[in-house]
Amino acid sequence: MVKSFASSHEKRWILSAMWGHLNTQAIPDRYSIPRLGDFHQILKETKIFSKIDLFKAYFQIPIAEEHKCKTAIITPFGLYEFNVMSFGLKNAPATFQRFIHEALRGLDFVFPYLDDILIASKSNQEHEIHLNLVLERLNTFDLRINISKSVFAVEEIEFLGYLITPQGSRPLPDKVQAIMNYKRPENIQDLRTFLGMLNFYRRYLKDAAKNQALLHEYLKGSKKKDKRKIQWTDEAEKQFEKCKNDLANATLLSFPNSELPLSLFTNASDTAIGAVLQQYENLTWQPIAFYSKKLNDTQQNYSTYDRELLGMYLSVKHFKHYLEGRIFTIYTDHKPLIFPFHQKLDKAAPRQARQLNYISQFSTDIKYIKGENNIVADTLSRVTEVSSIDYDQIADAQTQDEELKSLQTITSLNLKEYPLPSGKYLWCDTSTSKIRPYIPEAFRKQIFHHIHGLSHPGIKSTIKLMNSKFIWPSIKKDVQLWTRTCIPCQKAKINRHTKTKLGEFEVPSGRFCVVHIDLIGPLPPSRGNIYCLTCIDRFSNWMEAIHLDNISADTVTRAFYSNWIARFGTPHKLITDRGTQFRSETLQTLSKICGINLQHNTAYHPACNGKVERLHRTLKIALKAHNNLPWIDTLPTVLLGLRTAIQENSNHSIVQIVYGESLRLPGEFFSEPSIRTASESFANNLQKQMETVGPRTTRRNSSRHIFVNKDLENCSHVFNV
């Protein structure tokens, strides 16, 4: 071996640099290095692990005598030739990998990756036998091991950056912590470094392509070692933190077992595709690996069918090393994809035919699964789950809160400690029919976003809603400020500076007697739906928005019957515009059968159906405020928010008018209802209350005024909607 004349790190760098000319003349050795994740293949049902590190692995491979002259180097001490294989040689990794594979050939419980060797066994007795076999092989091939870096017979082991346990593998905690502590990159090069570290564990991350898409936008058109500063936006910073949190919550991946049933769940959104490979063990589907990919501009313009087919094709291609020779089922939430293999491919476009032909080489067993059941793969196109509020943390914060101590002296409040399931106590006001927890300052804005973010109602509605559920000293002032400065509201809402004469309408006699319906669309395509049938009850303002993929008369009539009449009964009067769907024979026949008085508004006079037209404006504003999500996923959340918002004139929410009590919202404090002994009296009181709750006559609110910001004349930027 060459005499040492530098540190280990410097020597490796120098040797890599000085072999440049020799490497250009060398014939490439195409022997492949294993994929890092391939060690999962030997780990099924294993419980005991060992790791052997070879001592200066490359230096244990001798160089042929006739080739030593090619490695000659000049040093301050003279001319030297290498006797053993050096770092930096073009074919060194392939040569050593071939050698170690030859040394351990036939041992299926071993996974060698260059100088690291993993040994996995099902029991201690079996592991002892396996270790003896491996050590005998290493001794036969005259290989030395590094005892200080080797680990023997443990139940958890670190290998190639992963933590291996009997239950599965996950990212190393210290590596995860290092990424969690990574500061926000200031330039393009730092961001590229961060994404590289994060994507080392990409197989553990659900919908990684979608979550990282905004960060990858900064890399477009960048150069190598690009030092340009990044102009971070609030949304980009949020995605940066989300990427780190996703890694912290990375899924535990099971080890592949060829004896267990295998399935591939695929899905596509408007911007990305995703898939999860799962096997059925312990009476449930367990993930083996995740896959996701961002669609390019051309692919994003594909139809829903083409995007879903592309997602299936790329997923099969990515997991082909798992799927070859296996019987498995492909699950999709796009029903048309289950039919192509039952009909002639002549009907398919050339690109579709190529993709279907490739998929058929692995499996033709494609089954439909409803979107709500396609939980893992469908996260690409599902609304982000509303994070719950940790009332245990709020209870801890209350113990140090000075404002709470001052509130305890106010006689109009009835503050009491309320027990939580964890055993802690939460201070709440019980002076009203609802238990209202006190919210410390650190949690107030989070609570506001949970309630206001459902449908982004106005200032007064939000104040009433918040005040009915929570308390703190400046709740009205804070909620007013946060609502007025809500960025999604400012982007989506338009303030009208004109006042229209209010119309006079007859007040209906009861709930669901008079119903207004209309259609909105075409909307941006979302899982094949581009229209909505909107329905609203004139008495209670209860609204429904039913997504449709077409607006034929038959589709609209069936949707109205299934989603309104089947739930709320037949209305006395149905008011529509003069659209062909509403003047069709299908709806006319339904009206005659059900005894509905069908009325159409005057042509070119939409004010006759103004109830539902005004709903359209509110609905579109709320959907637009959720601009980062597909509208079909946002729609249920928006409807929940609109139905629970307290109306300005009646001082009741829509659900109170319909159900007699309000609904519990995400993040709202939950209390067990008290046991009612006088059930008959309660029913009578509820009946009286329901009779008094109803719509108010149309009137102008004299206190309403147009808000114009005092800095409007001097501000530098305004939203142009």
Side-chain angles (χ1 to χ4, degrees), residues 444-656:
R444 291 170 187 173
K445 201 162 188 179
Q446 179 189 4
I447 295 283
F448 165 79
H449 285 304
H450 271 77
I451 303 301
H452 176 75
L454 294 176
S455 61
H456 293 269
I459 294 176
K460 292 185 178 179
S461 294
T462 308
I463 290 176
K464 290 179 180 178
L465 200 58
M466 292 288 293
N467 207 26
S468 66
K469 302 177 185 301
F470 309 98
I471 63 165
W472 67 79
S474 57
I475 184 169
K476 292 184 178 179
K477 180 181 177 181
D478 292 342
V479 171
Q480 180 180 19
L481 175 63
W482 294 334
T483 307
R484 181 169 289 170
T485 56
C486 176
I487 298 298
C489 286
Q490 294 181 50
K491 289 182 177 179
K493 296 182 179 180
I494 300 174
N495 291 326
R496 300 180 62 188
H497 299 276
T498 59
K499 293 185 179 181
T500 307
K501 182 180 178 181
L502 296 177
E504 296 292 335
F505 296 94
E506 179 184 357
V507 177
S509 59
R511 299 167 181 81
F512 307 114
C513 292
V514 181
V515 178
H516 301 253
I517 66 173
D518 199 2
L519 292 165
I520 55 174
L523 300 169
S526 185
R527 297 212 302 277
N529 296 276
I530 55 176
Y531 298 98
C532 267
L533 172 65
T534 52
C535 318
I536 186 168
D537 171 39
R538 186 190 291 181
F539 183 94
S540 64
N541 285 336
W542 182 275
M543 73 284 290
E544 291 286 347
I546 308 153
H547 50 79
L548 307 171
D549 56 2
N550 67 83
I551 50 173
S552 64
D554 183 65
T555 300
V556 172
T557 304
R558 287 179 182 275
F560 178 66
Y561 182 82
S562 302
N563 293 274
W564 188 276
I565 294 179
R567 295 172 61 191
F568 305 116
T570 304
H572 295 304
K573 186 185 295 185
L574 181 62
I575 301 174
T576 73
D577 60 17
R578 304 186 69 82
T580 55
Q581 301 85 355
F582 304 130
R583 292 187 292 109
S584 66
E585 184 178 350
T586 307
L587 188 60
Q588 297 281 355
T589 303
L590 177 66
S591 301
K592 291 178 182 179
I593 294 174
C594 297
I596 302 173
N597 180 13
L598 182 61
Q599 295 184 0
H600 305 293
N601 63 3
T602 308
Y604 305 106
H605 192 228
C608 297
N609 201 18
K611 194 78 171 175
V612 73
E613 296 291 351
R614 184 62 182 83
L615 169 63
H616 291 174
R617 177 182 165 190
T618 304
L619 195 63
K620 290 177 180 178
I621 286 174
L623 289 174
K624 189 177 180 181
H626 293 265
N627 56 6
N628 62 328
L629 295 170
W631 64 265
I632 196 171
D633 300 322
T634 308
L635 188 59
T637 302
V638 167
L639 290 175
L640 174 64
L642 294 176
R643 292 165 183 162
T644 53
I646 297 178
Q647 300 176 84
E648 188 174 336
N649 291 337
S650 65
N651 206 30
H652 292 91
S653 66
I654 296 172
V655 294
Q656 285 177 308

Side-chain angles (χ1 to χ4, degrees), residues 79-94:
L79 190 67
Y80 285 82
E81 294 176 353
F82 274 82
N83 294 320
V84 294
M85 188 170 65
S86 168
F87 295 102
L89 289 173
K90 182 176 184 177
N91 293 324

Side-chain angles (χ1 to χ4, degrees), residues 26 37 88 218 408:
Y218 289 115
Q408 292 172 348

Side-chain angles (χ1 to χ4, degrees), residues 349-372:
R351 183 183 67 247
Q352 296 172 346
R354 289 194 302 271
Q355 294 172 353
L356 289 169
N357 179 60
Y358 184 85
I359 295 170
S360 67
Q361 298 175 28
F362 296 85
S363 177
T364 57
D365 184 12
I366 301 177
K367 293 183 178 180
Y368 169 72
I369 181 173
K370 290 185 178 180
E372 57 265 26

Side-chain angles (χ1 to χ4, degrees), residues 168 304 399 524:
T304 303
T399 59

Side-chain angles (χ1 to χ4, degrees), residues 93-271:
T95 299
F96 187 82
Q97 189 66 50
R98 179 189 287 108
F99 172 73
I100 197 64
H101 274 164
E102 182 65 27
L104 300 174
R105 188 178 302 278
L107 304 181
D108 56 2
F109 50 85
V110 175
F111 179 82
Y113 185 87
L114 296 176
D115 61 339
D116 288 313
I117 302 172
L118 176 67
I119 306 167
S121 310
K122 297 179 181 180
S123 65
N124 287 313
Q125 295 78 7
E126 184 183 63
H127 195 68
E128 185 177 352
I129 297 172
H130 289 169
L131 275 176
N132 286 330
L133 289 173
V134 172
L135 293 175
E136 286 176 4
R137 288 286 188 93
L138 296 180
N139 184 55
T140 301
F141 284 83
D142 201 21
L143 289 170
R144 292 173 293 166
I145 66 175
N146 188 345
I147 294 295
S148 62
K149 292 185 178 180
S150 299
V151 180
F152 297 98
V154 295
E155 294 184 357
E156 288 188 359
I157 196 168
E158 298 179 4
F159 185 71
L160 301 179
Y162 302 94
L163 179 64
I164 302 173
T165 68
Q167 293 75 34
S169 68
R170 58 163 57 94
L172 283 178
D174 56 340
K175 304 294 184 184
V176 173
Q177 190 60 43
I179 295 177
M180 291 294 294
N181 296 335
Y182 199 90
K183 295 182 180 179
R184 189 187 71 181
E186 297 297 330
N187 55 52
I188 300 295
Q189 182 180 357
D190 291 343
L191 178 59
R192 185 182 284 113
T193 301
F194 169 76
L195 292 174
M197 293 189 302
L198 186 68
N199 284 321
F200 180 82
Y201 295 115
R202 191 181 181 95
R203 63 183 286 118
Y204 295 85
L205 304 177
K206 293 187 290 186
D207 50 339
K210 177 186 175 184
N211 294 335
Q212 297 175 23
L214 193 57
L215 302 182
H216 279 284
E217 290 295 321
Y218 289 115
L219 304 183
K220 284 187 176 180
S222 61
K223 301 178 182 178
K224 190 175 181 180
K225 296 184 179 179
D226 200 327
K227 296 290 187 179
R228 287 179 299 160
K229 297 292 185 182
I230 297 176
Q231 301 297 325
W232 287 92
T233 63
D234 292 341
E235 185 64 26
E237 289 190 23
K238 188 184 299 183
Q239 290 302 107
F240 173 71
E241 294 298 328
K242 178 171 174 52
C243 287
K244 296 198 293 185
N245 292 331
D246 286 345
L247 181 61
N249 301 320
T251 306
L252 179 74
L253 297 184
S254 293
F255 304 132
N257 189 337
S258 58
E259 299 175 359
L260 297 177
L262 190 67
S263 65
L264 179 64
F265 292 76
T266 68
N267 188 256
S269 71
D270 295 336
T271 58

